[in-house]
Amino acid sequence: MYIATRPVDFRKGMDGLAAAVQEVLKLDPFCGAAFIFRSRRADRIKILIWDGSGLILIYKRLEDAKFRWPRIEDGIMRLSPAQASALFEGLDWARVRAVRRARPQAVQ
């Protein structure tokens, strides 16, 4: 999952966001990854996903809060599915950490 760290024009729909993925982020919007966009006010989120047959656009607005966004910088950042889920719920995604476990050894 990729998050665009700069706010985008939230009047853009699927095609406009797909173009932004290609032109600004330099990624393929049809690769199957989820692309997360923020509004200037930080209370809205849009997620663009290609599912193999069409584009899906998810939009959410928080009523009495703001999403906790990464610092505004040029470019993109990767989030784990757990971090993206926390962001979507309006939680502090930065506190979500993957538990690193040792790789199991093959049974012989």
Side-chain angles (χ1 to χ4, degrees):
M1 300 189 144
Y2 296 95
I3 183 167
T5 57
R6 289 203 169 263
V8 298
D9 181 352
F10 254 48
R11 295 174 291 183
K12 290 184 180 186
M14 289 184 230
D15 296 328
L17 292 174
V21 169
Q22 287 178 319
E23 296 167 10
V24 178
L25 304 180
K26 307 292 188 219
L27 294 170
D28 178 11
F30 307 107
C31 68
F35 297 94
I36 303 169
F37 299 92
R38 65 168 288 175
S39 67
R40 292 190 198 289
R41 290 188 277 179
D43 65 340
R44 298 155 201 252
I45 187 171
K46 283 188 177 181
I47 304 173
L48 184 71
I49 305 167
W50 171 257
D51 74 350
S53 64
L55 285 171
I56 300 168
L57 182 62
I58 301 166
Y59 176 71
K60 183 174 183 177
R61 179 186 70 210
L62 292 178
E63 292 301 323
D64 295 322
K66 294 183 184 263
F67 290 101
R68 169 115 161 59
W69 293 101
R71 285 183 299 153
I72 295 177
E73 298 173 347
D74 289 329
I76 59 172
M77 145 181 203
R78 290 187 75 157
L79 293 180
S80 72
Q83 289 172 319
S85 178
L87 173 67
F88 190 73
E89 292 298 325
L91 302 173
D92 185 356
W93 63 270
R95 292 182 173 218
V96 177
R97 301 269 187 256
V99 176
R100 303 285 181 210
R101 300 192 190 273
R103 184 177 175 166
Q105 295 185 3
V107 179
Q108 296 181 4

